[in-house]
């Protein structure tokens, strides 16, 4: 096997601590405690190793990355290493001074999440009173500081009917980009799937809404949007393919091919505390396991799309088929595709159950 | 559609705040870094973008025509098309 290309981006999950409790959180059910987090020096070393191996962008994420008081130090360290830095945040812990400090440290971009366009539902989903209003203020502060802004709206059956209003909100907040992100069902979201699964009719309307908005807002707002897996015909190239474009470092230092990969019990993930990042990327068993196409079963192995979708999502294959090595059932060629579609139909037609909120000890 | 930035010889092009161009040693090439995107500009784009330092497009064209000893008309056509393409992608503002 030839050596893999260096990754383009590092997702640095600084912490699992977060003031919000979104039931669709992409963090694993088993959250890392503060005492288990990497130190500032550990992260500095990771950043240096990432830059040396050819990583170009760093996404500071979590949990809520601004819960770490050393965030400005790490942003500055990344800037000094030549990395393009993006802060993925709920915003609720930010204020004018903290943003000014991050800006001065060399932060390049802010991605702010919203839970809805309406305060009541937004705060019910986030489980954080006053959060929505705080986010709107912070968006204003981000733009006033001259930082470019992307709004990330996670959508599902309980807010999808307000997509138009969320798009208008992104424009009003002077965002240049909007990510309309359907809930992806692993970790906490898998636990809450029946509460979030949209109907097919909602998906069809959402696609029309996005198409119309893209035409209306050309040159004003770029909208990223993809049809969710359960209703798709072809799987997505998860992370651009396993071990091809991205790597993720968890709060405890585990190096993962995607942020949900710890849901795959068959894999052992190496830690930045034990091995250099570059060596883990190139040689670790976990990265080699699903890299490229040699691991694929039929129908993937002989499919002409195998180097387009790279077999889809391993975590989803595990969650829905019981085997991470199976074809992602989001693909219409999977023998289980019909069942998954029906499951989505059935769940979305039933009354949504109460949320299991994402918090320590609640899994 | 309103709002489309049209690049002419009078325009003063620059990379917007959210885009950064730098040399990537690992890949031995220039890259443009933008939110959730990495662009790999070709050699001609690199030559043009390195000259976006506060002068207008006409100056950039003159400079390139001299540097590459090429007809100004040809250079002008290529440069305007390339900058327009980058402006449409949000990678150049003026």
């Amino acid at each position: 096997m030839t050596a893999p290309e260096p990754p383009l981006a590092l997702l640095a999950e600084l912490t699992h601590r977060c003031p919000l409790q979104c039931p669709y959180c992409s963090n694993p059910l088993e959250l890392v405690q503060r005492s288990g987090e990497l130190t500032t020096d550990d992260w500095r070393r990771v950043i240096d190793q990432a830059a040396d191996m050819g990583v170009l962008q760093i996404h500071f994420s979590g949990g809520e990355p601004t819960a770490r008081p050393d965030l400005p130090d790490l942003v500055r360290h990344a800037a000094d290493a030549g990395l393009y830095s993006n802060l993925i945040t709920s915003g609720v812990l930010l204020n004018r001074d903290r943003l000014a400090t991050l800006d001065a440290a060399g932060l390049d971009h802010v991605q702010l999440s919203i839970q809805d366009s309406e305060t009541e539902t937004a705060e019910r989903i986030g489980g954080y009173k006053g959060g929505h209003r705080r986010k709107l203020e912070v968006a204003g502060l981000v733009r006033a500081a001259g930082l470019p802004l992307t709004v990330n709206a996670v959508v599902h059956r309980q807010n999808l009917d307000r997509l138009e209003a969320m798009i208008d909100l992104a424009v009003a907040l002077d965002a240049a980009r909007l990510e309309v992100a359907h809930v992806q069902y692993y970790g906490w979201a898998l636990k809450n799937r029946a509460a979030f699964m949209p109907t097919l009719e909602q998906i069809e309307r959402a696609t029309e809404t996005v198409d119309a908005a893209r035409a209306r807002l050309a040159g004003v707002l770029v909208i990223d949007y993809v049809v969710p897996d359960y209703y798709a015909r072809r799987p997505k190239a998860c992370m651009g393919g396993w071990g091809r474009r991205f790597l993720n470092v968890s709060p405890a230092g585990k190096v993962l091919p995607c942020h949900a990969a710890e849901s795959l019990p068959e894999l052992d993930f190496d830690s930045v505390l034990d091995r250099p990042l570059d060596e883990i990327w190139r040689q670790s068993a976990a990265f080699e396991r699903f890299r490229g196409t040699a691991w694929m079963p039929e129908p993937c192995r002989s499919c002409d799309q195998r180097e387009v979708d790279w077999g889809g999502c391993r975590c989803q294959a595990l969650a829905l088929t019981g085997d991470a090595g199976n074809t992602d059932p989001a693909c219409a060629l999977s023998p289980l595709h019909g069942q998954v579609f029906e499951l989505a139909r059935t769940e979305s037609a039933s009354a949504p159950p109460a949320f299991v909120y994402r918090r320590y000890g609640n899994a | 559609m309103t709002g489309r930035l049209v690049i002419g010889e009078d325009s003063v092009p620059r990379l917007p705040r959210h885009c950064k161009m730098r040399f990537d040693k690992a890949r031995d090439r220039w890259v443009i870094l933008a939110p959730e995107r990495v662009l790999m500009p070709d050699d001609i784009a690199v030559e043009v973008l390195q000259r976006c330092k506060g002068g207008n497009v006409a100056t950039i064209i003159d400079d390139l025509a001299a540097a590459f000893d090429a007809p100004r008309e040809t250079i002008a056509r290529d440069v305007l098309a390339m900058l327009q393409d980058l402006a449409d992608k949000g990678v150049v503002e003026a």
Side-chain angles (χ1 to χ4, degrees), chain A residues 288-303:
Chain A
E288 286 293 290
R289 175 67 180 88
F290 297 117
R291 182 179 266 144
T293 56
W295 62 273
M296 288 180 177
E298 292 293 357
C300 300
R301 182 185 285 269
S302 58
C303 180

Side-chain angles (χ1 to χ4, degrees), chain A residues 30-356:
Chain A
E30 203 168 312
L31 297 166
V32 174
Q33 304 278 343
R34 180 201 289 255
S35 58
E37 292 177 6
L38 294 181
T39 66
T40 309
D41 281 342
D42 291 332
W43 278 113
R44 288 201 185 105
R45 195 177 64 248
V46 168
I47 289 167
D48 289 339
Q49 290 178 355
D52 284 347
M53 68 190 279
V55 167
L56 298 169
Q57 299 194 328
I58 184 165
H59 303 282
F60 290 105
S61 176
E64 175 49 53
T66 60
R68 291 265 309 210
D70 57 357
L71 179 64
D73 295 337
L74 299 177
V75 167
R76 184 176 299 282
H77 200 81
D80 290 346
L83 297 180
Y84 185 98
S85 61
N86 177 26
L87 176 63
I88 299 177
T89 182
S90 70
V92 299
L93 302 180
L94 286 170
N95 57 34
R96 193 184 306 270
D97 287 349
R98 291 200 76 187
L99 272 167
T101 306
L102 290 167
D103 183 32
L107 184 65
D108 289 307
H109 180 261
V110 175
Q111 177 182 315
L112 181 74
S113 65
I114 58 166
Q115 278 67 44
D116 203 322
S117 56
E118 285 185 4
T119 304
E120 193 193 328
T121 35
E123 297 187 355
R124 185 170 63 79
I125 293 161
Y128 185 83
K129 194 118 188 81
H132 187 65
R133 188 177 47 82
R134 187 81 205 113
K135 283 162 181 278
L136 304 188
E137 285 170 19
V138 166
L141 295 174
V142 169
R143 294 300 296 127
L147 282 160
L149 175 68
T150 290
V151 168
N152 176 282
V154 177
V155 294
H156 45 77
R157 71 187 288 192
Q158 302 203 31
N159 68 5
L160 205 43
D161 296 336
R162 286 180 295 281
L163 178 55
E164 182 95 50
M166 287 187 266
I167 294 169
D168 291 345
L169 179 58
V171 173
L173 295 176
D174 196 26
R177 283 178 74 244
L178 170 66
E179 291 181 1
V180 179
H182 283 280
V183 172
Q184 294 184 290
Y185 298 102
Y186 30 67
W188 294 89
L190 185 59
K191 254 185 146 37
N192 287 290
R193 187 175 64 197
F196 288 127
M197 185 63 72
T199 64
L200 184 57
E201 293 69 29
Q202 280 183 308
I203 299 292
E204 285 167 351
R205 267 203 310 279
T207 305
E208 286 168 21
T209 301
V210 168
D211 285 346
R214 277 180 175 154
R216 185 174 78 246
L217 298 169
V220 176
L221 183 74
V222 174
I223 304 176
D224 280 4
Y225 174 81
V226 281
V227 173
D229 280 333
Y230 284 51
Y231 290 116
R233 302 277 307 157
R234 286 282 179 266
K236 284 183 264 307
C238 188
M239 310 302 285
W242 185 272
R244 292 191 72 248
R245 293 275 180 268
F246 302 99
L247 48 72
N248 184 102
V249 176
S250 82
K254 291 282 179 67
V255 186
L256 313 171
C258 88
H259 53 276
E262 279 181 296
S263 69
L264 305 177
E266 68 180 276
L267 297 181
D268 282 323
F269 297 101
D270 288 307
S271 167
V272 294
L273 298 174
D274 303 324
R275 288 178 90 178
L277 200 58
D278 181 41
E279 196 181 298
I280 297 174
W281 172 256
R282 285 186 289 108
Q283 298 174 6
S284 73
F287 276 86
E288 286 293 290
R289 175 67 180 88
F290 297 117
R291 182 179 266 144
T293 56
W295 62 273
M296 288 180 177
E298 292 293 357
C300 300
R301 182 185 285 269
S302 58
C303 180
D304 64 1
Q305 298 296 298
R306 66 186 179 278
E307 293 193 353
V308 175
D309 59 45
W310 300 98
C313 172
R314 297 303 88 221
C315 303
Q316 187 153 271
L318 175 73
L320 294 175
T321 76
D323 183 347
N326 277 342
T327 294
D328 182 346
C331 183
L333 300 173
S334 160
L336 294 166
H337 182 74
Q339 279 180 40
V340 167
F341 186 86
E342 275 315 308
L343 184 150
R345 281 288 242 190
T346 309
E347 283 191 346
S348 64
S350 318
F355 292 143
V356 180

